[in-house]
């Protein structure tokens, strides 16, 4: 899809909320990003996708708007989510700490700077704790000033990966000590992060963890930008990958297959590992253990697809694009 002036100021927020089993509730949260309390549509904002996972009891809502409008869309969705989701009754196999678990802001357009996304992320964190009393947040990525620590690093510090995080031991960056109803929300900004989940045909989570460790960025020989969990999922094991965009060009030894998708932010080049490479690596490692693949799913879109679809949705005036995308072929 060709670029347009419409896309030059766009940003995306892949809002993660801790509910998927009540799909009507999740759609209510998505619509709060699109319409004010009188039902009037916010111009220039669209929800491209809603990804629900029953086992994880987690949904990802892809909100796209201009950098000038994204704050209000996010905050209204968060207010609605916090009013409807109670972490004291939440169950699911995916780690989580907050009713609104994650608010990442990603630049899509050439005219959006890292500083712009940082400003909005900080304003969202502050705005959330002011509008919904009792909520609290930690910061990551560009918004975690001055250290700019990554999401995985901050989550580990906060105890996000533990089965039963101790909220009493956590000191939030914004807001009060986390409360049981709302939990703790991660708010940040950075280059686009794609989610790629590869399912292998086994119930052996320990095998899945060994594969996750092998492809994780922090492991020698791992894939740049790839953060991984292995989780039980629908009678199998899912290798759930956050695929972070990395600065510069990919290593030469990893470019033999599909090219790494690339883009620029403020004149800096970024790229990310393609889903085909992640799938091939998981298939290879699983195959060595006699385990076959079941499939690969993208949660949302690649950065390029996200912008292209947002430009189309906004040019056509489609707010609830998640209802339309299956019948539209780009």
């Amino acid at each position: 899809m060709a670029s347009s002036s419409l896309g030059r100021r766009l940003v995306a927020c892949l809002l993660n909320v801790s509910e998927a089993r009540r799909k009507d509730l999740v759609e209510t949260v998505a619509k709060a990003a699109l319409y004010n309390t009188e039902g009037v549509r916010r111009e220039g904002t669209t929800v491209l996708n809603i990804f629900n996972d029953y086992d994880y009891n987690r949904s990802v809502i892809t909100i796209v708007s201009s950098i000038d409008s994204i704050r209000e869309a996010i905050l209204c969705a968060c207010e609605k989510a916090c009013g409807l989701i109670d972490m004291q009754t939440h169950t699911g196999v995916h780690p989580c700490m907050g009713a609104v678990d994650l608010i990442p802001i990603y630049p899509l357009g050439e005219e959006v700077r890292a500083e712009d996304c940082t400003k909005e992320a900080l304003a969202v964190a502050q705005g959330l704790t002011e509008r919904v009393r009792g909520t609290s947040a930690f910061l990551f990525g560009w918004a975690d000033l001055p250290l700019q620590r990554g999401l995985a690093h901050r989550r580990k510090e906060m105890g996000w990966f533990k089965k039963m995080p101790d909220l009493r031991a956590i000191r939030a960056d914004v807001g009060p000590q986390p409360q049981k109803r709302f939990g703790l929300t991660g708010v940040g900004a950075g280059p686009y992060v794609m989610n790629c989940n590869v399912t292998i045909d086994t119930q052996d989570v320990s095998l899945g963890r060994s594969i996750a460790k092998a492809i994780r960025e922090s492991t020698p020989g791992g894939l740049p930008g790839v953060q991984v969990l292995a989780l039980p999922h629908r009678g199998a094991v899912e290798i759930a990958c956050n695929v972070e965009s990395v600065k510069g060009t990919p290593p030469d030894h990893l470019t033999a297959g599909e090219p790494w998708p690339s883009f620029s932010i403020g004149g800096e080049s970024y790229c990310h590992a393609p889903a085909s490479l992640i799938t091939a690596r998981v298939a290879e490692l699983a195959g060595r253990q006699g385990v076959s693949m079941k499939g690969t799913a993208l949660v949302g879109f690649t950065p390029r697809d996200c912008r292209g679809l947002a430009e189309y949705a906004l040019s056509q005036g489609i707010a609830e694009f998640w209802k339309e995308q299956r019948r539209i072929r780009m």
Side-chain angles (χ1 to χ4, degrees), residues 102-290:
L102 187 67
I103 308 174
I105 298 175
Y106 307 131
L108 295 176
E110 302 89 338
E111 294 181 4
V112 181
R113 304 170 302 162
E115 295 88 341
D116 299 325
C117 293
T118 299
K119 177 183 175 182
E120 292 308 307
L122 292 172
V124 165
Q126 189 65 41
L128 174 62
T129 59
E130 290 174 354
R131 291 195 189 189
V132 184
R133 296 294 179 182
T135 57
S136 51
F138 71 88
L139 304 171
F140 67 91
W142 294 336
D144 175 40
L145 300 170
L147 299 178
Q148 297 192 341
R149 291 164 290 186
L151 177 59
H153 183 123
R154 297 298 339 263
R155 278 175 163 173
K156 187 174 182 180
E157 288 181 341
M158 297 293 159
W160 185 85
F161 296 100
K162 297 178 180 178
K163 286 186 178 180
M164 297 290 289
D166 183 4
L167 296 180
R168 297 169 300 176
I170 295 171
R171 296 189 65 178
D173 295 326
V174 185
Q177 184 174 335
Q179 299 181 12
K180 290 181 180 180
R181 174 181 170 83
F182 303 116
L184 180 68
T185 301
V187 184
Y192 196 97
V193 176
M194 183 180 73
N195 302 106
C196 174
N197 297 339
V198 185
T199 304
I200 56 176
D201 194 9
T202 181
Q203 294 184 19
D204 186 351
V205 178
S206 62
L207 171 60
R209 287 175 180 151
S210 70
I211 293 172
K213 181 178 179 182
I215 68 172
R216 189 174 290 135
E217 178 182 43
S218 57
T219 300
L223 299 176
V226 176
Q227 312 293 337
V228 200
L229 290 173
L231 300 167
H233 190 256
R234 298 178 185 174
V237 172
E238 189 162 81
I239 312 300
C241 305
N242 277 2
V243 187
E244 298 176 352
S245 300
V246 295
K247 192 177 291 188
T249 57
D252 291 339
H253 70 282
L254 294 175
T255 57
E258 179 184 346
W260 286 44
S262 60
F263 57 96
S264 65
I265 302 171
E268 295 269 12
S269 295
Y270 289 84
C271 62
H272 65 84
S276 59
L277 174 62
I278 296 167
T279 301
R281 184 65 62 87
V282 171
E284 176 192 356
L285 293 166
R288 291 177 188 174
Q289 305 299 321

Side-chain angles (χ1 to χ4, degrees), residues 45-90:
T45 302
T46 184
V47 171
L48 294 183
N49 190 55
I50 300 175
F51 181 90
N52 310 104
D53 193 290
Y54 186 93
D55 284 11
Y56 291 171
N57 202 9
R58 183 181 188 87
S59 297
V60 181
I61 302 169
T62 303
I63 306 168
V64 180
S65 184
S66 74
I67 187 66
D68 310 294
S69 305
I70 193 69
R71 185 191 310 179
E72 188 63 19
I74 293 172
L75 285 172
C76 288
C78 289
E79 280 188 272
K80 183 63 70 174
C82 288
L84 295 173
I85 301 169
D86 186 345
M87 288 304 291
Q88 295 174 102
T89 59
H90 179 271

